[in-house]
């Protein structure tokens, strides 16, 4: 193992390549790593891995991550870190190349590469299954590695098997339904290439931090366990460690800074670790066991080594020398039978409070824990065809332990203030006593009252201490007749992720422009070449407007509106959600989904539909076409497509599974080109062969199959502008050809492309709503003046809710039109509306009566206009409202009050003469 240099708090240290930073710092004599977050007390290393509550550091090299335990950071040449109190800092610009993600499908996933995990992997390999083995350690073996022992030859053969992929430094952070696991693989920044993973002998390239999305047919959970600390006064001093960690640092990593050690235990693990410390040359002052007696090979080995053993004795307090370090110097012992107190010098106190199996992953999917009196721990013995537990998680602790006990010494109030349960939160036994004194008994309530278990370690060392102390405070653990048992208390709730995960790792390469998927239509490149300005609608890039050289947005939009109203204009409407609905019960299903009737819609015709949630509130809208007796094509809003499909499937799968209906998203299969304006029919007739487009042959809300240059298309008389309009639906890969042919024929007509801003102006002039813009999640169809679309002949989702008193009461926000007094002034969208005589209250606040949802300038009207949600607006036609001054830019404000008159929301062609022509 080569020696390398690294820095900690700007000081150079020597270490062995790949060993834990904690080990190297201890070997160099550094006991105090940081100060505690709240009490400012010096703190040192306690554990061996992710359970470490104290020794958190900030990397200032490599990934520059914060709040990493020094126990899991591997030493490498050039590594730099600093001590950390609090949350640390994030890099301003993380290196994108460091993060990656991948998916993996496998027969069997084994989590944990200790003896239990390797044995399980061997069983599945022998059954001919492909096995993925992941482990958060830097190598296989689990506790064997901490003991400095080699794997048995049979298990080494498992690692060489061609059907095994072994990934180390890989932590499973979440287990979800259907055997879906998320894991984080981490490489040391400075260690170079790790030994290759094996899958049929082939190496796998790895990024420094990679997120694995794993789906497995079977899962074996063998994550092992954490050793528990003990509660006593001043149990947080540097030099106090878990016994297994202390013995490993001394015996395996060559830490030789300790001379005299005390071991305090409630199980036989303390004896095993005491022997390891003794064999490494430490003077063991004594093993103090809170139990009345104990036996077995571990106890016999300690006695044979000449280590003093004291039963019914435990640590009461610790002392230190004065100074900033305040590291351990002596230990105060109490005889639990006689009450005698003694003090012994020690610079290492190794504590063993039993083992806590790692329950987190299993409980993520609701598997229940069971209290084991034998092991004084919660275990999960679970075995199904899809998932089973193994090793300590399943209660297989091995060893020679006699039953152990939860134990908290009797401390006076002052001592309990420094008897720490959660070292990361500086939460003490005194805090727990306060919680119990306040009447709290639920572990979840106590967790929130005291903050125990809420920091980065998520209760890995403090959770079971809390449960044990809570039981003893209620008398049970000391033989009382009343109170709580651990089985009554239950465990803390464990939620993903199992260990802290940086947002950068979760994002992977999907940052900046890639942070959210970008969806483009088949005509996108044409729009780019035409100079379109784009806006984001959901995940779609949609042309906002098409400016000519030197044109402002306002000028371009007005030009596009005039073309649509007086000539002919074209728009890419491909982003509309499109859902193919088939099955013999499709008509019945749509009747239940929509507020109006679709089962009677003739084949080849279209109908506008509105759907509500169960609470009667408008959810989405769109036009649905009947393509066949049992075949419909539904369109939805662009942003609502996914939600609507999920809504349809929810009802089909959970409420009406008897209906024979099948829903398929076809949004990306079909491109839609909207041709709008009084000249649209004439242009289209040049374009389409064999189809009569006349008013009598092709009425409004009808659909026809047609051919364009041998390409099949579906044309529908649908209008979202109030003008004569046609929608051409064509397969996605033919859309660019159809679009360009249309443009070639359209030049004599001065064909004009328009974007979403013009679409908004046109539809608002006609009073067509956009769900989510002109509604705010509280409107029923009646509130948007659409009672005409609510069937009185059938039941549908939300209909019964219309009878709820609050949906029929006055004072509801209703959709109306607004005409500003100043024809040229466009009211800002979102502006509040008040009555003309409204006065501020004693706090200077004026009660508003509504707000503006859509607001534009209309060339057709020759003035500004708006749509608004106004309290009882449908009964207030002709009333003048005020638009109070609002900030319109930083440092400026509009000082005058605007006035606007409530009117009908349909501003043009109320008789639909243009649309139906």
């Amino acid at each position: 193992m080569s020696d390398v240099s690294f820095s900690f708090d700007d000081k150079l240290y020597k270490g062995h390549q790949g060993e834990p930073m904690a080990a190297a710092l201890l070997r160099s004599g550094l006991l105090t790593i940081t100060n505690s977050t709240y009490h400012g007390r010096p703190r040192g290393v306690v554990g061996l891995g992710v359970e470490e509550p104290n020794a958190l550091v900030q990397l200032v090299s490599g990934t520059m991550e914060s709040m990493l335990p020094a126990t899991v950071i591997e030493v490498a040449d050039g590594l730099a870190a600093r001590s950390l109190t609090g949350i640390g800092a994030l890099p301003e610009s993380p290196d994108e190349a460091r993060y990656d993600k991948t998916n993996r499908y496998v027969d069997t996933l084994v989590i944990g590469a200790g003896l239990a995990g390797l044995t399980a992997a061997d069983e599945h390999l022998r059954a001919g299954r492909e096995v993925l083995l992941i482990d958060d350690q830097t190598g296989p073996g689990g506790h064997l590695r901490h003991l400095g022992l080699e794997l048995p030859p049979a298990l080494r053969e498992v690692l060489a098997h061609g059907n095994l992929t072994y990934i180390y430094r890989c932590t499973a952070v979440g287990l979800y339904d259907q055997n879906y696991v998320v894991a984080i693989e981490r490489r040391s920044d400075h260690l170079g290439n790790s030994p290759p993973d094996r899958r049929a002998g082939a190496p796998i390239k790895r990024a420094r931090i990679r997120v694995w999305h794993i789906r497995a047919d079977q899962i074996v959970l063998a994550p092992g366990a954490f050793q528990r600390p003990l509660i006593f006064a001043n149990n947080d001093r540097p030099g106090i460690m878990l016994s297994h960690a202390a013995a490993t640092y001394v015996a395996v990593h060559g830490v030789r800074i300790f001379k005299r050690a005390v071991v305090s235990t409630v199980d036989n693990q303390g004896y095993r670790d005491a022997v390891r410390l003794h064999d490494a040359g430490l003077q063991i002052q004594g093993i103090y066991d809170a139990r009345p007696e104990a036996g077995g090979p571990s106890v016999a080995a300690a006695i044979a080594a000449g280590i003093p053993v004291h039963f019914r004795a435990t640590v009461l307090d610790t002392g230190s020398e004065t100074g900033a370090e305040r590291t351990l110097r002596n230990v105060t012992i109490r005889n639990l039978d006689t009450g005698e107190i003694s003090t012994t010098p020690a610079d290492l106190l190794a504590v063993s409070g039993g083992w806590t199996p790692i329950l987190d992953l299993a409980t993520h999917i609701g598997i229940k824990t069971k209290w084991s009196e034998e092991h004084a721990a919660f275990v999960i013995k679970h075995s199904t065809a899809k998932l089973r537990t193994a090793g300590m998680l399943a209660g297989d602790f091995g060893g020679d332990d006699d039953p152990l006990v939860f134990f908290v010494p009797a401390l006076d109030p002052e001592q309990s203030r420094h008897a720490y349960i959660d070292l990361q939160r500086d939460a003490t036994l005194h805090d727990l006593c306060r919680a119990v004194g306040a009447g709290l008994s639920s572990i979840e309530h106590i967790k929130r009252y005291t903050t125990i278990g809420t920091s980065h370690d998520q209760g890995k060392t403090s959770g079971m201490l809390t449960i044990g102390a809570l039981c003893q405070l209620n008398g049970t653990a000391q033989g009382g007749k009343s109170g709580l048992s651990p089985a009554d208390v239950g465990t803390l709730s464990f939620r993903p992720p199992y260990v802290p995960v940086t947002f950068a790792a979760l994002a992977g390469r999907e940052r900046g422009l890639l942070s959210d998927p970008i969806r483009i239509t088949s005509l996108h490149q044409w729009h780019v070449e035409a100079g379109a300005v784009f806006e984001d609608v959901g995940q779609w890039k949609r042309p906002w407007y098409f400016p000519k050289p030197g044109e402002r947005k306002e000028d371009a939009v007005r030009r596009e509106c005039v073309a649509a109203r007086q000539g002919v204009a074209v728009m890419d409407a491909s982003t509309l959600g499109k859902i193919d609905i088939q099955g013999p019960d499709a008509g019945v299903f749509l009747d239940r989904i929509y507020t109006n009737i679709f089962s009677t819609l003739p084949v080849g015709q279209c109908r506008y539909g509105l759907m509500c949630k169960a609470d009667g509130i408008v959810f989405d809208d769109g036009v649905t076409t009947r393509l066949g007796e049992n075949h419909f094509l539904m369109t939805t809003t662009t942003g609502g497509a996914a939600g609507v499909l999920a809504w349809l499937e929810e009802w089909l799968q959970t409420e009406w599974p008897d209906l024979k209906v099948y829903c398929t998203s076809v949004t990306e299969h079909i491109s839609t080109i909207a041709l709008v304006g009084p000249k649209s029919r004439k242009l289209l007739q040049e374009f389409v062969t064999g189809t009569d487009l006349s008013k009598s042959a092709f009425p409004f809300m009808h659909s026809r199959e047609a051919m364009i240059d041998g390409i099949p298309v579906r044309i529908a008389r649908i209008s979202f502008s109030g003008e004569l309009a046609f929608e051409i639906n064509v397969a996605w890969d033919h859309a660019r050809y159809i679009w360009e042919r249309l443009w070639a024929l359209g030049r004599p007509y001065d064909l004009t492309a328009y974007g979403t801003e013009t679409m908004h102006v046109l539809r608002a002039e006609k009073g067509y709503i956009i769900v989510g813009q002109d509604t705010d999640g509280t409107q029923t169809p009646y509130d948007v003046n659409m009672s005409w679309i609510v069937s009185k002949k059938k039941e549908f989702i939300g209909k019964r809710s219309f009878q709820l008193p609050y949906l029929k009461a006055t004072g509801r926000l209703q959709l109306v039109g607004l005409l500003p007094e100043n024809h040229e002034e466009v009211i800002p969208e979102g502006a509040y509306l008040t009555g003309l005589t409204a006065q501020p209250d004693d706090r200077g606040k004026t009660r508003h009566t509504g707000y503006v949802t859509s607001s534009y300038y209309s060339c057709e009207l020759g003035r500004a206009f708006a749509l608004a949600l106004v309290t009882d607006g449908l009964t207030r036609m002709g009333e003048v409202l005020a638009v109070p001054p609002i900030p319109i830019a930083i440092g400026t404000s509009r000082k005058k009050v605007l006035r606007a008159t409530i009117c009908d929301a349909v501003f043009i062609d109320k008789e639909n003469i243009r649309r139906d022509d």
Side-chain angles (χ1 to χ4, degrees):
M1 198 176 286
S2 60
D3 287 341
V4 295
S5 297
F6 69 97
S7 71
F8 181 71
D9 283 345
D10 298 324
K11 182 179 178 181
L12 281 178
Y13 292 88
K14 293 288 186 181
H16 303 316
Q17 179 88 357
E19 73 173 338
M21 177 190 285
L25 293 176
L26 285 170
R27 194 168 52 249
S28 299
L30 187 64
L31 279 175
T32 300
I33 303 296
T34 187
N35 290 328
S36 68
T37 304
Y38 302 102
H39 293 177
R41 291 167 66 96
R43 294 282 171 78
V45 176
V46 169
L48 280 173
V50 297
E51 81 281 7
E52 172 59 46
N54 279 347
L56 300 184
V57 302
Q58 166 89 53
L59 291 182
V60 293
S61 65
T63 58
M64 301 180 70
E65 290 178 80
S66 177
M67 296 186 71
L68 290 178
T71 51
V72 301
I73 299 172
E74 296 172 57
V75 169
D77 198 41
L79 176 69
R82 62 176 175 82
S83 59
L84 182 63
T85 299
I87 61 175
L90 296 175
E92 293 184 3
S93 55
D95 182 358
E96 297 180 21
R98 298 183 187 278
Y99 304 100
D100 196 9
K101 71 176 181 180
T102 189
N103 291 279
R104 184 69 183 271
Y105 299 83
V106 70
D107 294 335
T108 301
L109 169 65
V110 179
I111 299 175
L115 293 179
L118 289 169
T119 301
D122 185 37
E123 293 172 2
H124 284 263
L125 289 169
R126 291 178 184 276
R129 301 177 67 82
E130 181 187 6
V131 176
L132 175 62
L133 174 65
I134 65 174
D135 185 26
D136 66 353
Q137 302 296 306
T138 57
H143 286 307
L144 288 182
R145 295 181 64 251
H146 301 153
L147 296 173
L149 301 177
E150 295 289 334
L151 279 175
L155 294 184
R156 287 202 299 271
E157 292 178 6
V158 172
L159 293 169
H161 197 287
N163 277 346
L164 178 82
T165 301
Y166 172 48
I167 308 174
Y168 50 90
R169 300 192 191 98
C170 187
T171 305
V173 297
L175 172 59
Y176 305 89
D177 292 339
Q178 300 176 341
N179 279 11
Y180 167 48
V181 172
V182 177
I184 304 293
E185 180 192 6
R186 179 185 300 276
R187 292 174 58 198
S188 174
D189 255 0
H190 304 277
L191 288 178
N193 292 327
S194 301
D197 300 326
R198 293 190 56 84
R199 185 186 180 195
I204 298 175
K205 294 182 178 179
R206 295 181 295 177
R208 284 186 172 89
I209 296 179
R210 171 175 285 181
V211 179
W212 289 79
H213 297 273
I214 304 167
R215 292 162 178 84
D217 180 55
Q218 296 182 26
I219 291 178
V220 179
L221 294 178
F226 295 127
Q227 194 175 23
R228 293 198 288 262
L230 294 172
I231 302 174
F232 46 86
N234 294 299
N235 59 345
D236 64 328
R237 299 191 192 281
I240 302 175
M241 296 186 195
L242 296 171
S243 66
H244 190 58
T248 300
Y249 287 126
V250 170
V252 177
H253 295 289
V255 174
R256 295 291 183 263
I257 62 172
F258 303 114
K259 305 301 180 185
R260 292 177 293 191
V262 166
V263 176
S264 181
T265 188
V266 296
D267 67 355
N268 283 14
Q269 181 63 43
Y271 292 84
R272 291 191 283 272
D273 294 326
V275 171
R276 293 176 69 198
L277 293 169
H278 173 271
D279 291 346
L282 271 71
Q283 178 181 334
I284 309 300
Q285 304 289 79
I287 298 175
Y288 296 91
D289 191 338
R291 299 173 295 178
E293 59 181 8
S298 300
V299 177
I303 295 173
I307 300 173
V309 175
H310 307 273
F311 292 106
R312 291 292 291 162
T314 192
V315 175
L316 181 67
D317 199 348
T318 66
S320 68
E321 294 180 355
T322 58
E325 289 287 311
R326 288 189 287 176
T327 54
L328 180 72
R329 287 296 175 264
N330 57 70
V331 177
T332 301
I333 308 296
R334 170 181 283 168
N335 185 299
L336 297 174
D337 290 327
T338 66
E340 180 184 352
I341 294 176
S342 61
T343 299
T344 183
D347 53 9
L348 173 65
L349 172 55
V351 299
S352 180
W355 292 96
T356 298
I358 300 172
L359 310 169
D360 304 51
L361 292 174
T363 62
H364 287 174
I365 55 172
I367 298 176
K368 301 300 183 183
T369 63
K370 184 178 181 181
W371 175 251
S372 168
E373 290 289 349
E374 177 186 358
H375 303 298
F378 286 98
V379 299
I380 295 178
K381 296 182 180 181
H382 183 86
S383 181
T384 66
K386 292 296 182 182
L387 186 146
R388 73 177 178 90
T389 58
M392 298 181 83
L393 176 60
D396 181 11
F397 279 42
D400 61 341
D401 276 351
D402 285 335
L404 59 146
V405 296
F406 273 129
F407 182 77
V408 179
L411 301 176
D412 62 43
E414 188 57 36
Q415 288 176 315
S416 69
R417 292 180 183 276
H418 296 105
Y420 289 90
I421 295 177
D422 189 327
L423 293 165
Q424 178 58 209
R425 286 296 192 192
D426 277 343
T428 66
L429 181 62
H430 177 76
D431 298 324
L432 181 61
C433 292
R434 286 181 60 239
V436 172
L440 301 181
S441 58
S442 164
I443 190 67
E444 292 296 341
H445 292 164
I446 288 172
K447 173 182 177 179
R448 285 152 180 81
Y449 187 94
T450 62
T451 72
I452 291 172
T454 62
S455 192
H456 82 283
D457 65 337
Q458 290 294 292
K460 290 178 174 62
T461 55
S462 63
M464 287 304 300
L465 288 188
T466 308
I467 294 168
L470 179 61
C471 291
Q472 288 196 208
L473 289 173
N474 282 271
T476 304
Q478 293 179 335
K481 301 287 186 180
S482 62
L484 300 172
S485 73
D488 296 325
V489 174
T491 65
L492 295 169
S493 295
F494 304 107
R495 300 180 180 88
Y498 164 67
V499 295
V501 179
T502 63
F503 286 120
L506 295 177
R509 291 166 293 177
E510 296 170 351
R511 59 183 69 239
L513 290 176
L514 298 178
S515 62
D516 197 32
I518 295 175
R519 304 173 75 184
I520 58 175
T521 71
S522 58
L523 304 175
H524 180 79
Q525 188 56 39
W526 189 96
H527 303 323
V528 171
E529 295 167 1
V533 176
F534 291 90
E535 71 166 338
D536 295 325
V537 182
Q539 294 171 332
W540 290 99
K541 291 289 184 184
R542 297 197 69 182
W544 193 12
Y545 58 97
F546 291 84
K548 290 186 175 182
E551 261 187 343
R552 300 175 305 160
K553 172 191 168 187
E554 294 78 8
D555 300 327
V557 171
R558 293 185 185 188
R559 174 177 51 79
E560 293 169 11
C561 286
V562 170
R565 292 287 183 215
Q566 299 179 11
V568 61
V570 65
M571 176 187 176
D572 181 3
S574 304
T575 63
L576 286 174
K578 292 174 279 286
I579 301 173
D580 187 89
I581 301 173
Q582 298 191 46
D585 297 320
V588 173
F589 175 60
L590 290 176
D591 281 351
R592 297 180 185 181
I593 291 291
Y594 280 124
T595 63
N596 47 336
I597 297 176
F598 278 80
S599 58
T600 60
L601 182 67
V603 174
Q605 291 190 25
C606 318
R607 184 165 291 164
Y608 173 76
L610 193 70
M611 61 181 73
C612 296
K613 284 293 185 79
D615 57 6
I617 302 303
V618 172
F619 171 45
D620 204 86
D621 68 342
V623 173
T624 293
T625 304
R626 191 164 202 165
L627 304 178
E629 186 63 29
N630 301 320
H631 189 185
F632 294 81
L633 179 66
M634 173 190 288
T635 63
T636 72
T637 58
T638 294
V644 170
L645 180 60
W647 179 245
L648 302 182
E649 290 290 356
E650 178 181 342
W651 285 89
L652 282 174
Q653 295 181 33
T654 64
E655 301 297 329
W656 307 318
D658 56 309
L659 293 183
K660 294 181 174 61
V661 180
Y662 306 92
C663 301
T664 306
S665 173
V666 292
T667 302
E668 289 87 355
H669 293 261
I670 302 172
S671 291
T672 302
I673 300 170
L675 193 64
V676 177
K679 298 179 182 179
S680 59
R681 178 183 284 118
K682 189 175 181 181
L683 171 58
L684 190 60
Q685 193 64 75
E686 293 187 22
F687 196 39
V688 179
T689 57
T691 300
D692 186 353
L693 302 179
S694 65
K695 176 180 178 180
S696 58
F698 197 166
F700 180 65
M701 281 298 193
H702 281 62
S703 175
R704 298 284 185 269
E705 304 289 337
M707 299 292 290
I708 297 176
D709 292 352
I711 298 172
V713 299
R714 184 183 301 113
I715 302 174
R717 278 285 310 275
I718 299 171
S719 177
F720 195 47
S721 61
E723 294 294 332
L724 172 67
F726 298 85
E727 289 187 358
I728 305 168
N729 294 280
V730 63
W732 193 270
D733 53 345
H734 291 304
R736 179 76 184 256
Y737 175 82
I738 297 295
W739 180 271
E740 291 181 341
R741 284 281 288 121
L742 186 61
W743 272 91
L745 293 172
R747 289 192 183 96
Y749 297 88
D750 194 21
L751 181 63
T752 301
Y754 72 96
T756 54
E757 186 67 12
T758 295
M759 177 196 72
H760 279 291
V761 176
L762 300 176
R763 65 90 195 168
E765 289 173 339
K766 187 62 179 170
Y768 294 151
I769 68 168
I770 290 185
V771 176
Q773 177 169 331
D774 299 305
T775 63
D776 66 1
T778 65
Q779 280 70 50
T780 69
Y782 299 98
D783 294 326
V784 292
N785 203 20
M786 293 175 66
S787 59
W788 54 270
I789 205 171
V790 179
S791 173
K792 296 180 174 58
K793 299 179 180 180
K794 68 179 181 76
E795 287 291 326
F796 55 83
I797 297 172
K799 183 174 183 178
R800 297 181 185 181
S801 294
F802 294 157
Q803 302 306 313
L804 294 171
Y806 80 96
L807 291 184
K808 300 169 65 177
T810 59
R812 296 187 56 75
L813 289 173
Q814 297 175 333
L815 188 68
V816 296
L818 281 183
L819 290 174
E821 187 179 72
N822 182 339
H823 289 201
E824 300 297 320
E825 188 148 19
V826 178
I827 304 172
E829 289 184 351
Y832 283 117
L833 303 168
T834 68
L836 286 180
T837 59
Q839 297 296 320
D841 58 20
D842 54 6
R843 296 180 298 168
K845 304 292 184 181
T846 303
R847 185 177 182 82
H848 70 273
T849 191
Y851 65 94
V852 176
T853 62
S854 301
S855 186
Y856 312 98
Y857 182 87
S858 168
C859 295
E860 185 70 14
L861 299 174
R863 60 168 302 142
F865 75 106
L867 299 176
L869 288 172
V870 175
T871 304
D872 297 322
L874 296 175
T875 63
R876 298 168 66 177
M877 294 296 160
E879 183 178 337
V880 179
L881 299 179
V883 185
I886 60 172
I888 58 175
I890 296 175
T892 65
S893 64
R894 170 172 51 79
K895 300 192 186 286
K896 64 179 180 177
V897 174
L898 300 181
R899 294 158 65 97
T901 303
I902 299 176
C903 64
D904 189 271
V906 181
F907 296 91
I908 66 165
D909 193 26
K910 294 183 181 181
E911 298 78 17
N912 294 321
I913 294 172
R914 299 183 186 181
R915 186 198 69 183
D916 298 344
D917 184 23

